[in-house]
Amino acid sequence: MKSRLVNYILTGMILLSTKVYADPIYLDYQASTPVDPRVLESMLPYFTKEFGNPHSTTHIYGIRAHEAIEEARNEVARVINADPQEIIFTSGATEANNLAILGTCRALKKKGKSEVISVTTEHKSVLEPLKALEKEGFKIIILPVQKNGIIKIDDLKKALSSKTALVSVMAANNEIGVLQPIQEIAKLSHKHGALFHTDAAQAFGKIPLDVKKDEIDLLSLSGHKIYGPKGGGALYIRKDIAIVPICYGGGQEKGVRPGTVPTPLCVGLGKASKIAQEELLSESKRLLALRNKMLQLLQNNLPGVIVNGDLNERLPGNLNLSFSGVDSKPLLSSLGDIAVSVGSACTSDTTELSYVIRALDPEGTLPPATVRLSVGRFTTEHDINQAASEIITAVKSLREKDPKGGSRSCRPGDIEELKF
Ligand code: PMP
């Protein structure tokens, strides 16, 4: 009798702890995606049986690894209509961006090209190498964005000159999901004799990209944004473009990115690319429906829901919202059952400052809290209903508790300048 009672208590405790510690609903697919089981399966043999060094092609172990890498190169190239020989494997989009920016600009400096144009809302892995180039004597021109997150083409026209070496503009933004008009930007860059690079870490496999039609010279991509492994990515470099390596070694990847090529990561990236391409249309339709449902539920149940960035020119799976009267810190602590990114538009808060949101709102009129909700391959309609209900409850309760919350807008002094 006593032991049965103990059992009941123990079972109850386990059930309770399961509830308390159940995994939150994942709505942060722009930060990273889980590896698709089909991708994992394709990778597994290359950790064990097919372990050969892909550059040791004097025996069958190396030959099979080499062939697997070349097949993966084909799959990556196919997504963007590139030639496989134009794909260089890297550790991710950070390395690809560094290589594209530093490598082309250093090669072009000898030809008197000393200016680079980019945009204020770019990822740090673009903005930081630009700072390094400034120290090497380059003039860096950073274009602002409009309230919707998109650049003004007229600003680009004014900034371009015969000295422009490179224009680097992301295809899709990681925080607000906004799409830049890259084809138009590329054509204009070429008119002035400049190269065009795009950071497509968030766009590759999610929206159609065609390096020939879009006139893209260099494109960076990342495996872990498309259900592939972390630590695998690539840079597309158009055939005839000269690039100075940023790392030196054994001459692999045409000497542009030396080091033993990691077979499992490349195979995973290849398989993830293949799936992304095959399912792009159906997946983007499904994600768009889920995202729209989330927005509709929130707007129907809450006043003061602000969408940050253009709603139409946007990745299908992204929403970035502010809620009037709500601060980021209390919002973050009341959203325990969903995994989202919460940012802040001003320094008066403790969550991470978003220079992207501040770029849309230089006067600081937006409420401080911003929430990025990104849906993905494994998000269900049930997840959307649950998450929406949690956000609605949290926002209502925070507004009741602190009717003046979030009324602090950022003062101009709060806005940290990005220095170039
Ligand atoms: N650029 C963008 C737009 C990104 O979102 C990310 C990842 N957050 C990167 C670059 C860096 O990619 P990786 O993690 O593969 O280095």
Side-chain angles (χ1 to χ4, degrees), residues 30 91-94 97 123 125 170 172 174 199 201-202 222 224-225:
Q30 274 187 277
S91 61
T94 297
N97 285 339
H123 192 262
S125 57
M170 71 200 325
N174 44 302
D199 172 0
Q202 296 287 349
S222 174
H224 74 102
K225 309 288 183 184

Side-chain angles (χ1 to χ4, degrees), residues 63-100:
I63 292 171
R64 283 203 294 252
H66 173 79
E67 282 172 355
I69 285 173
E70 294 317 305
E71 181 50 29
R73 206 185 298 281
N74 278 325
E75 301 297 2
V76 173
R78 211 167 286 151
V79 180
I80 52 173
N81 191 24
D83 186 309
Q85 292 319 305
E86 297 172 313
I87 302 296
I88 297 291
F89 286 116
T90 65
S91 61
T94 297
E95 187 189 346
N97 285 339
N98 273 266
L99 184 56

Side-chain angles (χ1 to χ4, degrees), residues 284-324:
S284 54
K285 225 166 128 185
R286 198 182 78 84
L287 297 188
L288 188 63
L290 288 175
R291 174 194 93 188
N292 288 346
K293 171 146 203 205
M294 168 66 86
L295 183 59
Q296 195 185 25
L297 284 171
L298 296 178
Q299 285 181 328
N300 287 350
N301 289 283
L302 288 172
V305 177
I306 300 155
V307 179
N308 298 314
D310 197 287
L311 188 57
N312 298 318
E313 292 301 312
R314 195 183 195 97
L315 286 173
N318 168 283
L319 263 187
N320 189 304
L321 305 172
S322 295
F323 302 96
S324 58

